[in-house]
Amino acid sequence: MSNFTAVLDANVLHAYPLASVLLDLAEARMYRACWSAEIHAEWMRSVQRARSGIPLEKLERRRDAMDTALPDACISGHECLVACLELPDPDDRHVLAVAIRAKAQVIVTYNESDFPAATLAGFDLVAQHPDTFLRHLIDLDRNVVRARLEMMLARLVNPPIGKDEYIAALERLSLPETAAALRELLADG
């Protein structure tokens, strides 16, 4: 298992195409993924706001599957740190507290500006856009990423999603570098 630890902010767990690749690469032990019950609650609320017809039970199954697949990912014991932390948005302090408690190196988030570099530096942390984070993982081990992506696409059968459709979905999620790298990677294989 990799000792490199990344906290996945709720906004990167919201959209299934992004969450699935992040989780698959964590299952492959390319990095250790972390979150908390609060992060779970946040992404679930976000999905329900965006897709009001989605049953809560479906989201709970997804949450439970995440916790089962990565049993060391859900962090607790960070709550006492929250009040001591300062960030531009006080609602993000719990994410930083999880990162500190997990001894993470990275917070993967679309909202990098919510986690100022000067604040994070004091905890040996950086905030990274998911496009940058995934691109680093692809560069780290192209063969593992290719194999995991092919396995993931093979599992997506209801409805089936082809590689071009999946990569286009990542592009729509503001992941242009990842999409380009995956196109190249899957064309090679």
Side-chain angles (χ1 to χ4, degrees), residues 147-158 160-161:
R148 292 304 290 215
L149 191 63
E150 288 171 349
M151 286 176 13
M152 184 185 71
L153 290 171
R155 285 193 315 264
L156 297 175
V157 294
N158 192 16
I161 298 174

Side-chain angles (χ1 to χ4, degrees), residues 127-184:
Q128 226 171 47
H129 191 280
D131 199 26
T132 303
F133 183 74
L134 284 170
R135 186 56 208 244
H136 288 316
L137 291 179
I138 293 165
D139 291 343
L140 182 66
D141 195 329
R142 296 171 61 83
N143 292 329
V144 169
V145 173
R146 179 187 302 111
R148 292 304 290 215
L149 191 63
E150 288 171 349
M151 286 176 13
M152 184 185 71
L153 290 171
R155 285 193 315 264
L156 297 175
V157 294
N158 192 16
I161 298 174
K163 67 180 178 182
D164 293 333
E165 184 181 355
Y166 177 75
I167 292 170
L170 292 178
E171 236 166 6
R172 288 189 299 275
L173 292 170
S174 300
L175 304 167
E177 288 184 32
T178 299
L182 291 178
R183 269 192 195 93
E184 178 185 321

Side-chain angles (χ1 to χ4, degrees), residues 51-65:
R51 296 176 53 203
S52 59
I54 193 163
L56 179 59
E57 297 78 28
K58 185 173 184 177
L59 299 177
E60 289 171 338
R61 281 193 305 273
R62 181 173 153 199
R63 176 202 61 206
D64 294 347

Side-chain angles (χ1 to χ4, degrees), residues 4-5 7 99 104-109 112 115-117 120-121 123-129:
F4 185 79
T5 302
V7 171
Q105 290 79 33
V106 171
I107 297 172
V108 182
T109 182
E112 294 169 280
F115 300 94
L120 296 187
F123 301 104
D124 292 325
L125 276 164
V126 296
Q128 226 171 47
H129 191 280

